[in-house]
Amino acid sequence: MNAYDHLHRLFGRLSALEDAGGLLSWDRDTIMPEGAAGRRATVMATLGGLQHEMLTAPEVADWLGTASADGDFWKQANLNEMKRIHARAVAVPGDLVEALSKAGSEAEMVWRKARADNDFKSLLPYLQTVLDLTRESATAIGEALSISPYDALLDGFDPGMTQKAITPIFETLARDLPPLLQEVLERQASTGDVPPVGASPFPIADQEKLGVSMMRQVGFDMTRGRLDVSAHPFCGGATDDVRITTRYETDDFLPAFLGVIHETGHALYEQGLPAEWQGQPVGRARGMTLHESQSLLMEMQVTRSRAFATFAAPIMASAFGGRGSWNPDDLYRRMTRVSPGFIRVDADEVTYPAHIIVRYELEVAMIEGRLALKDLPEAFNARIKDMLGLDVPDDRRGCLQDIHWPLGLWGYFPCYALGALTAAQLFASAKTALPDIGNEIQRGEFSNLLGWLRTAVHERGSSASTQDIISAATGKPLGAEDYLRHVQARYIDGER
């Protein structure tokens, strides 16, 4: 085999190990008995250490130095991704990789109980270990790539993304969104309360059937995935085995339903990646900004539209035995009701970016050492008060609500807001390309939209940068303008 062939085989094996880790993670977060947490953390850390050893072996650098793509676009893009991944890996010692993996697994298990018990102090020492190891890793990568530690973390979730790129976008949001939010709230106040939709209780079994039916409706391949329950909704699993989760409340079906749609957007991206490059770096999703754009496009742009409410209301009524009123207009008003709240994953699309800006500011401060972890609850509550005018009643609905920091996912949060902006920009272009898309959604037809997303985003894998993929699909770089126009049109002008 030549050098490229050696690399192709190596990264295929690494991908197989990642799939094994993905299934172990899914099992941990859904059905693993609590007593198995310690051993599971060791196993997953060992897997991570083994991958790191394989990736940083001396011969890999030699192969990367001599490999040729022979003028093939996809092979060259794959080789570029291999070099990027290798550069990040060799910057971090193997024992640090293993320690961070184990610390994240342990902290995640403690977080589950701490969140339920509203007990930040019990999580603090475990989270401190994760933060310390994350800083050490970010510093090592930053020095190797000549970027800041926080940019090194961002780059791990969205290659090439930097604070310099994020800052002007978030500044635009911080300037233009608050007055829009106030106008939205005033307009809603003038229209009165939203009548209830359906009648509780909403049995979990019925909610699950509804969720699975909608997953199929929008294009999810149930032969290559499944729906389960976890404390925090997620999309995970393995290649050709995409596992999504949600959580249920019997007195309200919408949070679980919208969670299913959100995670299905992620899953559709995974199921649409270029099959011929399966198991190779170029065949992966580009990064979390685009990944979040796919979930938020399905949840926010599509599902919360008036057209979708018209389609879905009778189906929902049938799912829950027709109890209560299922007026499509009431359902639409309910799904688009803007109300500043404490929980990020339940936030409406107007207030959602505020949740992300708070987390972004705080995690930058913690990574840079300007905020001590013990002061996180107070700082979190203060910024939520500033941004949303809310007094956080407890840490369970404050800094304990998200799984990201315990798992070591520092640098992930900005991708949520950037994903929301990308979703609006992509959907605006999809509507131009597919003029009948509103009527198609109202009829429950999603194949043309999914086909457009397959071509514009999914099938491109990691063959180009995030900005290049967005620019090619929409004709312009990522910005806040389409998102702000969308908020104006739906919530102030009145979506038709």
Side-chain angles (χ1 to χ4, degrees):
M1 295 191 296
N2 60 33
Y4 181 85
D5 292 336
H6 280 294
L7 290 167
H8 191 279
R9 180 173 180 270
L10 168 68
F11 278 88
R13 297 178 70 194
L14 289 170
S15 177
L17 291 176
E18 289 174 5
D19 281 352
L23 292 174
L24 285 172
S25 295
W26 168 86
D27 176 88
R28 177 195 64 199
D29 295 336
T30 54
I31 61 174
M32 186 189 78
E34 185 177 342
R39 178 59 181 169
R40 181 60 53 85
T42 299
V43 170
M44 295 184 68
T46 301
L47 268 179
L50 178 59
Q51 291 172 259
H52 189 266
E53 289 176 12
M54 293 168 61
L55 185 55
T56 58
E59 61 269 22
V60 178
D62 295 336
W63 294 336
L64 288 169
T66 59
S68 171
D70 301 321
D72 182 281
F73 169 81
W74 279 92
K75 284 180 68 173
Q76 185 61 59
N78 197 34
L79 186 56
N80 292 342
E81 282 298 288
M82 291 173 174
K83 290 178 179 178
R84 182 186 66 80
I85 293 167
H86 180 262
R88 289 183 60 89
V90 296
V92 185
D95 58 351
L96 177 55
V97 172
E98 196 163 337
L100 185 52
S101 174
K102 186 174 183 180
S105 294
E106 291 175 343
E108 190 271 341
M109 292 304 296
V110 175
W111 167 82
R112 291 191 195 186
K113 190 172 188 304
R115 179 177 178 272
D117 295 343
N118 187 37
D119 184 9
F120 179 77
K121 288 184 179 179
S122 69
L123 178 64
L124 182 56
Y126 296 89
L127 190 57
Q128 187 66 60
T129 298
V130 174
L131 174 56
D132 291 343
L133 293 172
T134 299
R135 280 177 179 155
E136 187 177 348
S137 176
T139 298
I141 296 171
E143 289 176 351
L145 303 182
S146 299
I147 57 179
S148 72
Y150 190 77
D151 278 354
L153 295 173
L154 282 173
D155 181 77
F157 296 106
D158 198 345
M161 190 60 67
T162 64
Q163 285 180 268
K164 184 178 180 180
I166 291 173
T167 297
I169 295 175
F170 279 10
E171 286 179 345
T172 298
L173 284 177
R175 181 193 69 223
D176 294 349
L177 197 54
L180 271 178
L181 173 59
Q182 187 59 38
E183 191 173 351
V184 169
L185 293 175
E186 291 173 357
R187 185 177 187 275
Q188 285 190 165
S190 69
T191 62
D193 295 333
V194 179
V197 177
S200 63
F202 300 96
I204 290 176
D206 293 340
Q207 292 190 56
E208 183 179 13
K209 289 178 184 178
L210 174 64
V212 170
S213 70
M214 283 297 178
M215 290 167 66
R216 290 193 172 104
Q217 188 82 25
V218 299
F220 183 87
D221 182 354
M222 293 299 298
T223 70
R224 296 192 292 144
R226 54 182 289 138
L227 172 65
D228 293 282
V229 178
S230 68
H232 189 100
F234 69 88
C235 174
T239 306
D240 276 345
D241 187 359
V242 186
R243 314 270 179 108
I244 74 170
T245 70
T246 192
R247 57 190 179 206
Y248 298 103
E249 303 171 8
T250 57
D251 62 344
D252 189 356
F253 74 96
L254 266 180
F257 177 79
L258 293 171
V260 168
I261 296 295
H262 179 99
E263 301 305 334
T264 297
H266 282 302
L268 290 173
Y269 189 7
E270 289 294 324
Q271 291 187 339
L273 293 169
E276 62 272 27
W277 290 96
Q278 188 178 95
Q280 292 298 307
V282 76
R284 297 176 179 173
R286 169 65 284 174
M288 293 316 302
T289 290
L290 280 176
H291 231 309
E292 294 302 335
S293 79
Q294 299 309 286
S295 62
L296 292 169
L297 187 149
M298 292 305 301
E299 179 198 354
M300 300 296 187
Q301 300 291 320
V302 174
T303 302
R304 296 180 193 254
S305 69
R306 190 178 295 277
F308 186 90
T310 302
F311 153 68
I315 295 174
M316 292 172 171
S318 176
F320 297 113
R323 298 186 308 275
S325 172
W326 292 92
N327 183 285
D329 186 60
D330 292 341
L331 176 62
Y332 172 72
R333 291 179 63 198
R334 171 77 194 285
M335 291 195 297
T336 57
R337 195 66 177 178
V338 175
S339 178
F342 301 112
I343 306 302
R344 176 186 62 83
V345 296
D346 295 336
D348 58 78
E349 63 180 329
V350 181
T351 60
Y352 189 87
H355 288 270
I356 301 308
I357 291 172
V358 167
R359 289 155 174 80
Y360 169 64
E361 292 174 352
L362 294 176
E363 71 176 11
V364 170
M366 286 185 282
I367 292 296
E368 294 179 351
R370 293 183 285 108
L371 175 64
L373 197 54
K374 65 181 179 61
D375 298 325
L376 173 60
E378 182 180 357
F380 186 98
N381 296 350
R383 289 300 289 135
I384 290 293
K385 178 70 172 179
D386 293 339
M387 296 293 290
L388 295 172
L390 300 175
D391 294 309
V392 180
D394 51 51
D395 292 340
R396 183 175 62 84
R397 283 172 284 187
C399 66
L400 280 177
Q401 66 181 270
D402 294 303
I403 198 173
H404 302 64
W405 291 332
L407 276 179
L409 304 179
W410 305 75
Y412 191 135
F413 278 120
C415 300
Y416 286 119
L418 298 175
L421 306 186
T422 303
Q425 195 162 316
L426 286 171
F427 196 61
S429 293
K431 288 189 291 186
T432 299
L434 306 168
D436 197 42
I437 193 171
N439 292 325
E440 290 178 359
I441 292 172
Q442 187 166 319
R443 295 192 298 266
E445 298 170 4
F446 301 93
S447 58
N448 284 335
L449 173 60
L450 182 57
W452 187 87
L453 291 171
R454 290 278 193 249
T455 300
V457 179
H458 304 175
E459 293 170 359
R460 299 202 63 183
S462 286
S463 64
S465 70
T466 297
Q467 284 283 25
D468 284 347
I469 290 173
I470 293 172
S471 293
T474 68
K476 58 187 177 183
L478 176 59
E481 293 74 22
D482 282 308
Y483 168 80
L484 292 169
R485 274 195 291 269
H486 163 70
V487 170
Q488 176 76 34
R490 173 174 286 177
Y491 294 93
I492 297 175
D493 298 338
E495 180 183 59
R496 293 291 182 268

